[in-house]
Amino acid sequence: MPLTTTYWLEHAWLGDAVEPGVVLEVEADRIKAVRRRETPPAGAVVLRGFTIPGLANAHSHAFHRALRGTVQVGSGTFWTWREVMYGVASRLTPETYHALARAVYAEMALAGVTSVGEFHYVHHAPDGTPYADPNAMGEALIAAAADAGIRITLLDTAYLSSGFGAAPEPHQVRFSDGTADAWAERVSGLKERAGVRIGAAIHSVRAVPASQLATVAQWAREREAPLHVHLSEQTAENEACLAAYGCTPTQLLAEHGVLGARTTGVHNTHLTDGDVTLLGSSATGTCMCPTTERDLADGIGPAVALQRAGSPLSLGSDSHAVIDLLEEARAMELNERLRTRTRGHWTAASLLRAATETGHAALGWPDAGRLEAGALADFTTLRLDSIRTVGAEPRLAAETAVFAATASDVTDVVVGGRVIVHAGEHTHIPNPATALSQAITALRA
């Protein structure tokens, strides 16, 4: 008989409203029942504050966490930042990647994240030679997520070209399988298991030749797997695509069968009106990563127009300039306020859905992201009495969470019925900050 644990939530977000005194009965890895009760039942685990579904980090490059601080020195563009990133990528091994990702995913857990979409393209040894296990790097990431107690959707990425058919440059050869067929053969060796989904990714239209896009899309379609793609992050990519193929990146993806309800475009920053229509009409998702997009001076994408057109919005911390999904949600709204000089483009409830339910769905976890019977028992509790959150009425807890709280306000995290964070401490990894420091120091040695 599966063990049942009863939680009493002082305040909980049940989709559109904040409810006081909510009881969750959790059986195995799922929520068995949700009901109202003003006082805690005998024996219940009491979670003070505001409990929401677990946060979904829909776009991550775990090794970019080693860049934090370093790439904020001086000036430059996305393209100069990329050269520094390549230097870190060149020093990764399966062992050092596991150590780094384990600590990064622990940081995510402490920030309330229960699922991560890892956009993974560092596949081979630095000279391009496959490891004895061709998926050693991907398996290192999967093991790291298990250690940290969070779900992972490994978005194994096809990265075949340095740009529109050109051969990979020396620092890119470890990313490439040579052809999309070879990529598909390798990634087919990865297996799903508890807490693990295997998805696909097209790094970008510059990194996968047009003739090979359909192979990646077909692999994902046959498996009903998530398919993600960096899309129109830079105007230079758009201009090069127009020169090479006579169309925008979005049009190119549409022509080769990449768009669709299981596909998510990451960034979607520099789009034409026609691009927005194509993405929306095909129900292709949009993952906005505002803290990275502002850190790299990428620009502000047309998130409002995309959502209105039919593109579901999710959020990611991408390069991990910070890891704080509440900040990503807040930044999406505040960026739009700066761009339009008007307020209130999304409600707090809409922004929380982007950070939870829609993000989990984009990662292949459609049964996560809601506090309801039958859903996965993934939830996160935030303080309402911290120096940042105290003062507002509890009925405004959603607004407080989105517009005032930070990752530091997370107290408790449950993933699949297992307590991963309690009282602000990770229950599986002692002193994650030390682990992160050691992992980054080892990469720099």
Side-chain angles (χ1 to χ4, degrees):
M1 192 75 176
L3 177 68
T4 298
T5 303
T6 300
Y7 292 86
W8 182 81
L9 316 178
E10 186 179 24
H11 303 282
W13 185 62
L14 300 183
D16 287 307
V18 178
E19 298 287 347
V22 172
V23 172
L24 291 187
E25 288 185 5
V26 173
E27 186 175 271
D29 65 343
R30 299 206 173 249
I31 298 172
K32 181 181 179 181
V34 181
R35 62 180 189 273
R36 287 282 302 277
R37 178 174 172 138
E38 294 302 321
T39 57
V45 177
V46 174
L47 295 180
R48 298 285 178 186
F50 180 43
T51 298
I52 62 176
L55 298 166
N57 191 349
H59 188 66
S60 163
H61 300 290
F63 77 91
H64 289 191
R65 175 61 180 83
L67 300 170
R68 188 184 296 177
T70 303
V71 290
Q72 277 72 41
V73 176
S75 61
T77 65
F78 166 86
W79 306 103
T80 53
W81 167 90
R82 192 174 70 154
E83 295 305 312
V84 181
M85 178 271 288
Y86 284 149
V88 174
S90 70
R91 295 191 291 276
L92 292 170
T93 66
E95 294 74 24
T96 59
Y97 207 3
H98 172 264
L100 176 61
R102 178 177 181 269
V104 173
Y105 295 153
E107 182 181 0
M108 289 186 195
L110 290 168
V113 170
T114 58
S115 295
V116 61
E118 185 61 39
F119 201 102
H120 165 56
Y121 55 83
V122 187
H123 301 307
H124 308 300
D127 65 356
T129 302
Y131 290 102
D133 173 0
N135 288 304
M137 295 294 267
E139 292 291 353
L141 292 164
I142 290 170
D147 290 348
I150 67 173
R151 302 182 192 278
I152 186 170
T153 298
L154 189 73
L155 298 161
D156 195 286
T157 305
Y159 192 135
L160 310 175
S161 168
S162 64
F164 299 96
E169 296 177 4
H171 46 251
Q172 297 167 328
V173 293
R174 72 180 313 186
F175 308 159
S176 177
D177 291 293
T179 67
D181 285 334
W183 167 86
E185 181 179 358
R186 178 185 55 74
V187 74
S188 294
L190 288 162
K191 303 302 179 186
E192 295 190 346
R193 62 209 81 164
V196 178
R197 294 275 187 273
I198 305 300
I202 292 165
H203 180 273
S204 56
V205 296
R206 69 178 184 271
V208 178
S211 62
Q212 301 191 57
L213 292 170
T215 300
V216 183
Q218 182 179 354
W219 186 94
R221 186 163 49 249
E222 289 174 350
R223 291 159 180 77
E224 298 185 348
L227 172 60
H228 288 215
V229 54
H230 290 133
L231 181 57
S232 288
E233 182 178 5
Q234 296 292 321
T235 54
E237 177 181 287
N238 290 356
E239 292 161 2
C241 188
L242 284 166
Y245 301 120
C247 62
T248 67
T250 301
Q251 290 170 329
L252 187 71
L253 296 177
E255 289 172 7
H256 292 273
V258 175
L259 304 186
R262 283 191 298 275
T263 299
T264 298
V266 182
H267 304 302
N268 294 358
T269 308
H270 302 285
L271 303 177
T272 66
D273 291 344
D275 293 339
V276 171
T277 298
L278 278 172
L279 293 168
S281 63
S282 62
T284 300
T286 294
C287 180
M288 304 297 288
C289 305
T291 64
T292 289
E293 289 150 5
R294 72 191 185 195
D295 183 55
L296 298 183
D298 286 344
I300 300 171
V304 172
L306 283 160
Q307 188 172 50
R308 286 176 179 166
S311 179
L313 299 181
S314 57
L315 296 164
S317 63
D318 191 1
S319 69
H320 312 312
V322 296
I323 294 177
D324 189 338
L325 267 291
L326 299 173
E327 173 61 19
E328 303 294 344
R330 174 163 57 245
M332 188 164 69
E333 166 66 25
L334 299 185
N335 280 353
E336 195 66 18
R337 293 183 185 187
L338 286 173
R339 192 179 68 82
T340 63
R341 291 182 291 173
T342 58
R343 304 175 76 230
H345 301 276
W346 291 277
T347 64
S350 296
L351 293 167
L352 278 179
R353 274 192 292 275
T356 57
E357 183 175 1
T358 314
H360 290 294
L363 297 178
W365 303 99
D367 46 355
R370 299 178 302 283
L371 299 182
E372 63 180 38
L376 287 166
D378 298 359
F379 46 93
T380 293
T381 302
L382 307 167
R383 290 181 61 183
L384 291 179
D385 61 353
S386 76
I387 195 67
R388 291 166 294 278
T389 59
V390 72
E393 297 179 31
R395 66 182 180 83
L396 299 176
E399 285 76 9
T400 301
V402 170
F403 292 105
T406 73
S408 297
D409 294 308
V410 172
T411 61
D412 293 84
V413 178
V414 173
V415 182
R418 298 169 61 226
V419 177
I420 303 304
V421 175
H422 176 62
E425 299 289 334
H426 201 287
T427 60
H428 295 17
I429 298 177
N431 203 342
T434 297
L436 190 54
S437 174
Q438 291 172 343
I440 293 172
T441 299
L443 275 180
R444 291 174 179 165

